[in-house]
């Protein structure tokens, strides 16, 4: 295993244990068995390191299938299941950051710099649904932005509730939990469905 991989593993462990706010690059480097200088050869700053931890050490949940592949329902279940697992795992890392307004502002600015942030999964899911709509696999009148926001919002809430109920050592949500969240929006997305408010 290379230095970069060890640093990412150590960062994920330290950030889960202490939260992003209290995790320092010095402590992460020490946990990886390297100098802080070596850490900075691989990552520009703590924010970039955190983004790589989120992308490479957490469950992925952006649209992993191209439009037209598989079924819309199956693709949505996969995305939502990934999102439930991601938010469940991310809460221990993020909670300390959210509680500190100054740090939150710094993190928000840093995430913008890297083209990341909490709105990105919603936008990515809406883009996927838009592409499926162009292929005729999603209703022409479907409000894809609202569906994406509802699904990701539900995942965030369910991730929090699971973390709150089970603590850091809790288990991953089952796929059936994702199916339960996707099922209610399928009627809105089905080709031939009427636009909201239509008659």
């Amino acid at each position: 295993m290379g230095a970069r991989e060890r640093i990412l593993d150590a960062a994920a462990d330290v950030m889960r244990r202490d939260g992003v706010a209290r995790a320092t690059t010095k402590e992460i480097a020490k946990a990886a068995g390297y100098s802080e200088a070596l850490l900075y050869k691989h990552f520009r700053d703590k924010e970039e390191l955190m983004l790589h931890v989120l992308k490479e050490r957490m469950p992925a949940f952006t649209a992993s299938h191209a439009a037209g592949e598989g079924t819309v329902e199956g693709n949505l279940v996969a995305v939502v299941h990934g999102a439930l697992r991601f938010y469940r795992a991310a809460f221990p890392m993020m909670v300390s950051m959210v509680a500190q307004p100054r740090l939150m502002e710094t993190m928000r600015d840093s995430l913008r710099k890297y083209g990341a942030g909490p709105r990105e999964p919603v936008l990515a899911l809406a883009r996927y649904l838009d592409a499926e709509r162009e292929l005729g696999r999603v209703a022409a009148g479907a409000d894809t932005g609202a569906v994406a926001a509802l699904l990701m919002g539900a995942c965030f809430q369910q991730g929090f509730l699971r973390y709150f109920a089970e603590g850091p050592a809790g288990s991953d949500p089952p796929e059936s939990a994702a199916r339960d969240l996707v099922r209610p929006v399928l009627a809105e997305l089905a080709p031939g469905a009427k636009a909201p408010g239509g008659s």
Side-chain angles (χ1 to χ4, degrees):
M1 181 186 296
R4 183 182 182 280
E5 300 305 306
R6 284 179 187 263
I7 290 167
L8 282 172
D9 285 344
D13 289 343
V14 171
M15 288 177 179
R16 280 191 202 105
R17 185 189 71 218
D18 300 338
V20 171
R22 290 191 308 240
T24 65
T25 53
K26 184 176 182 178
E27 186 177 358
I28 291 167
K30 182 180 175 185
Y34 297 113
S35 69
E36 199 172 6
L38 182 66
L39 182 147
Y40 283 115
K41 285 185 179 180
H42 293 278
F43 304 98
R44 281 177 275 185
D45 50 32
K46 185 170 103 172
E47 289 76 23
E48 184 186 30
L49 176 56
M50 184 197 74
L51 287 174
H52 282 279
V53 166
L54 293 177
K55 287 178 182 176
E56 299 176 40
R57 293 299 185 269
M58 303 287 281
F61 67 95
T62 52
S64 55
H65 302 280
E69 292 180 1
T71 65
V72 173
E73 179 180 2
N75 294 343
L76 286 178
V77 168
V79 169
V80 168
H81 190 220
L84 287 169
R85 293 168 55 232
F86 175 89
Y87 287 124
R88 170 70 185 76
F91 267 104
M93 295 172 62
M94 300 301 172
V95 77
S96 63
M97 178 183 69
V98 174
Q100 299 180 38
R102 214 181 245 165
L103 179 64
M104 185 73 173
E105 184 178 343
T106 301
M107 189 61 69
R108 186 170 50 242
D109 293 342
S110 295
L111 290 174
R112 263 193 219 114
K113 178 174 70 177
Y114 291 111
R119 288 228 9 105
E120 290 307 309
V122 176
L123 297 174
L125 183 53
R127 284 192 298 269
Y128 162 74
L129 290 171
D130 288 343
E132 292 285 21
R133 183 171 54 196
E134 286 182 23
L135 294 173
R137 292 179 9 131
V138 161
D143 188 340
T144 56
V147 169
L150 286 168
L151 284 175
M152 289 299 104
C155 291
F156 183 87
Q157 186 239 17
Q158 291 299 308
F160 168 73
L161 290 177
R162 281 183 173 272
Y163 175 68
F164 184 82
E166 302 169 359
S171 60
D172 272 352
E175 187 180 278
S176 60
R179 291 193 181 283
D180 290 344
L181 292 178
V182 168
R183 195 172 298 116
V185 303
L186 292 176
E188 163 78 8
L189 296 174
K194 292 181 183 175
S199 56

